[in-house]
Amino acid sequence: GTQFDLDGVDDYIEIYSDLEVDEGITLEYYAKSEDTVQNMLCKTIKEDDGKWANRFRTRFSVNKLQLCAGHKKSLSDWAEGGDPNYHWISSPQLGSFANENGGYVTVTIDFVTDTIKVYWNGELKGETLCSHEWLLAGGLTDESIPFTIGLEISGNSYEEHFSKASIYACRLYTRVLDSTEIIANYNATVSYHN
């Protein structure tokens, strides 16, 4: 029931996990924000000396989920610009975190089938097949690199980008949830907070 308010200046959440990720992951993110960009789940090495390393990143921008798993070819039909060799992918249109009750996005990444699925408010909005090498290129399964929420390190240079948001729920599972579990979590979480 805890709400996290990120100020968009220097607030973020850091998560270390020693759990093995073999099958895949599921991210559930329920938030409200007027900002058009939300830095959701990333693998981040925060450097004091300006060094930069490419890492796994997810963000919500212009009502779409964007995901970069590393500088490999995504081979996805969601690849930005329609180029399957590109390393950023974008989901179909979803919704907005600026709604009265916010928005609830769920992402599943299946390492067995190399499939990413995106849900909005408990409803499946699309799925895409990706390169296995691309999915693992950004350290997603590397336990030594923490996950961050609300902070993204940009790609071409070391720049820290923070998100302003009220986060009502953020869950990370080391397995792929099915659609029944996803809609149940959505209904229970939204009813609790509204």
Side-chain angles (χ1 to χ4, degrees):
T2 302
Q3 173 181 322
F4 293 97
D5 292 312
L6 305 182
D7 64 9
V9 177
D10 58 6
D11 286 349
Y12 68 100
I13 301 165
E14 191 171 66
I15 304 167
Y16 283 88
S17 172
D18 58 359
L19 300 175
E20 291 186 12
V21 179
D22 297 319
E23 171 197 339
I25 67 167
T26 300
L27 167 69
E28 296 181 327
Y29 183 86
Y30 178 39
K32 186 172 183 180
S33 176
E34 297 296 325
D35 285 2
T36 57
V37 176
Q38 286 294 302
N39 299 311
M40 293 170 38
L41 188 70
C42 301
K43 279 282 193 169
T44 302
I45 298 178
K46 201 169 187 296
E47 301 283 3
D48 292 330
D49 56 7
K51 290 181 181 178
W52 171 80
N54 180 52
R55 294 294 173 222
F56 172 85
R57 294 167 280 168
T58 62
R59 68 178 172 224
F60 194 84
S61 180
V62 196
N63 294 354
K64 293 183 179 183
L65 177 83
Q66 297 177 321
L67 192 149
C68 176
H71 278 292
K72 301 276 186 181
K73 300 174 182 179
S74 68
L75 303 182
S76 166
D77 60 350
W78 286 1
E80 292 189 1
D83 180 1
N85 294 324
Y86 197 61
H87 56 280
W88 275 98
I89 67 172
S90 290
S91 75
Q93 285 286 115
L94 300 175
S96 171
F97 286 112
N99 292 330
E100 181 181 351
N101 292 325
Y104 195 111
V105 65
T106 305
V107 184
T108 64
I109 302 175
D110 191 322
F111 298 144
V112 177
T113 63
D114 299 325
T115 302
I116 295 174
K117 294 182 180 181
V118 177
Y119 300 75
W120 182 256
N121 292 340
E123 179 184 344
L124 179 64
K125 292 296 185 179
E127 63 182 274
T128 186
L129 187 64
C130 303
S131 158
H132 187 74
E133 292 74 20
W134 175 77
L135 282 175
L136 300 180
L140 187 55
T141 60
D142 187 338
E143 298 170 15
S144 68
I145 305 170
F147 287 102
T148 58
I149 298 162
L151 167 64
E152 178 197 11
I153 307 299
S154 62
N156 295 326
S157 62
Y158 186 90
E159 295 178 16
E160 298 174 356
H161 302 279
F162 296 91
S163 297
K164 184 175 183 178
S166 295
I167 301 173
Y168 304 114
C170 188
R171 302 183 189 100
L172 178 64
Y173 298 85
T174 57
R175 65 182 182 87
V176 177
L177 270 60
D178 62 33
S179 58
T180 303
E181 293 172 302
I182 288 168
I183 191 66
N185 283 357
Y186 164 73
N187 287 331
T189 303
V190 172
S191 64
Y192 176 84
H193 286 281
N194 292 290

